[in-house]
Amino acid sequence: MNEISFNLLATFYEFIFLMCEITVLFLLINSVMTYVNNSFNINKYLSNNLTSYFKAIFIGALTPFCSCSTIPLFNSLLKNGINHGISFAYLLTSPLINPMIFTMLLAAFGLKITIFYVTFIVIFVFIVSFVLSFLAADLLIKDDFLLIKQESKCKCKAKLKFKECFYKALLSYKKIFKYIFFGMLIGAFFHNFIPQDLLSNNLANLGIYGIFLASLFGILLYVRTDFVIPLGISLMNAGFPLGVVFSFLIAGGGCSLPELILLKSMFKTRMMIIFILSVLAMANIFGILLYFFY
């Protein structure tokens, strides 16, 4: 079997795995969240106040999802009427802070860098999400989600059985199936056909400019959470500055082309631009801080 045939087979298997993973997560999380919100009104726990932003960040920090796997819960938060700024706080946090990442960072880079990383992400996400909440939702989120959000405010909701919640999740899944399909297909293709050493071959001896290039590579390459930190360690061992390593880590973990395709089903163009710029800014600012102070 030649290399192209092997990569095609690996792409097919990874595509099937990713489709199954996203499908199960989407249906399960949306069903559970719809049922919980209908029974207990989750909106009062994530109401539009300052503490709710940190609650959303905390929820994100507990969910060990990659950038694509955050979409089902983010989708459910929006559909259950949670403020778009608070939901955005979860979306940015989940792939960048979780128990697995914290443990790997601690083992690889030490306590000082890990605490600095977590503190920076929390502060940055809070500021961006809080500012975002002042923008009108109808300028950022597609109308389907705004209609569902308005309906969720009705105080005379009938109790739904879990079967009915699952059916609603299926209807939502049907609406964004094409985005999931093409997003996972592109992700599997990129992961198996774009050389992982492409980053190291193009960032050598670029100095601070390598930070900006690393963040762009991070978004363009589909890198899963369980791989991004080991790759970062290998880059550091190869002599790359910490700023370049973490710029790639944040951009690669926080955003990817497959995720953008999925988010396109929910976001208007303005929100897509805000999301991409937020991840790039987060990656570059933290990378520059490390470059000059570590």
Side-chain angles (χ1 to χ4, degrees):
M1 182 182 293
N2 58 40
E3 184 178 354
I4 294 179
S5 299
F6 178 81
N7 288 341
L8 283 173
L9 187 61
T11 298
F12 173 75
Y13 283 129
E14 183 166 351
F15 169 71
I16 296 299
F17 172 79
L18 291 173
M19 280 297 296
C20 292
E21 179 187 49
I22 292 296
T23 299
V24 171
L25 282 172
F26 186 95
L27 294 176
L28 180 62
I29 291 175
N30 274 273
S31 300
V32 171
M33 288 292 292
T34 301
Y35 182 80
V36 169
N37 189 49
N38 183 260
S39 301
F40 307 103
N41 189 13
I42 194 174
N43 299 65
K44 70 179 182 180
Y45 298 105
L46 289 174
S47 55
N48 194 14
N49 55 52
L50 288 179
T51 59
S52 292
Y53 292 89
F54 292 102
K55 290 177 184 177
I57 291 172
F58 181 70
I59 293 172
L62 292 180
T63 50
F65 295 149
C66 67
S67 58
C68 286
S69 301
T70 61
I71 303 300
L73 183 51
F74 176 71
N75 176 290
S76 187
L77 290 174
L78 285 178
K79 286 194 170 185
N80 283 283
I82 304 302
N83 177 274
H84 59 284
I86 295 171
S87 300
F88 194 68
Y90 163 79
L91 179 68
L92 286 178
T93 304
S94 182
L96 295 177
I97 304 177
N98 59 55
M100 180 177 67
I101 288 180
F102 185 86
T103 302
M104 295 177 73
L105 284 174
L106 190 62
F109 301 104
L111 181 62
K112 188 176 180 180
I113 294 291
T114 303
I115 295 299
F116 182 41
Y117 170 83
V118 172
T119 303
F120 173 83
I121 296 295
V122 170
I123 293 174
F124 184 93
V125 169
F126 169 72
I127 293 174
V128 172
S129 302
F130 183 69
V131 172
L132 184 69
S133 67
F134 288 97
L135 300 179
D138 59 352
L139 297 177
L140 307 172
I141 310 297
K142 290 189 175 179
D143 293 340
D144 286 346
F145 296 91
L146 296 181
L147 290 174
I148 294 173
K149 181 176 179 180
Q150 289 168 0
E151 290 168 4
S152 70
K153 294 180 179 180
C154 178
K155 297 181 179 180
C156 52
K157 294 184 294 184
K159 294 290 183 180
L160 295 176
K161 295 180 180 179
F162 188 81
K163 182 178 179 180
E164 295 172 307
C165 296
F166 183 76
Y167 178 71
K168 292 182 70 174
L170 278 175
L171 293 178
S172 298
Y173 179 78
K174 183 179 178 181
K175 291 180 181 179
I176 68 168
F177 173 79
K178 65 179 180 180
Y179 296 96
I180 294 177
F181 181 89
F182 288 110
M184 297 305 99
L185 184 61
I186 291 173
F189 177 83
F190 272 43
H191 189 253
N192 289 284
F193 278 92
I194 295 183
Q196 297 298 325
D197 59 358
L198 182 66
L199 179 72
S200 58
N201 291 340
N202 288 276
L203 292 182
N205 303 319
L206 286 179
I208 192 171
Y209 299 106
I211 294 174
F212 305 108
L213 190 58
S215 64
L216 293 176
F217 269 116
I219 288 180
L220 292 175
L221 294 176
Y222 178 57
V223 186
R224 292 176 63 84
T225 305
D226 54 0
F227 182 75
V228 68
I229 294 180
L231 180 58
I233 294 172
S234 67
L235 290 174
M236 187 178 67
N237 292 336
F240 285 86
L242 266 180
V244 173
V245 172
F246 272 87
S247 178
F248 173 74
L249 187 155
I250 293 173
C255 183
S256 65
L257 284 180
E259 181 188 20
L260 293 177
I261 293 173
L262 293 176
L263 289 175
K264 183 62 179 173
S265 66
M266 295 173 263
F267 288 173
K268 292 183 178 179
T269 303
R270 290 185 186 89
M271 189 67 165
M272 293 290 291
I273 294 173
I274 290 172
F275 175 70
I276 295 171
L277 291 180
S278 296
V279 174
L280 286 175
M282 188 162 36
N284 285 299
I285 292 172
F286 190 74
I288 290 171
L289 289 174
L290 288 179
Y291 186 85
F292 285 109
F293 297 106
Y294 283 91

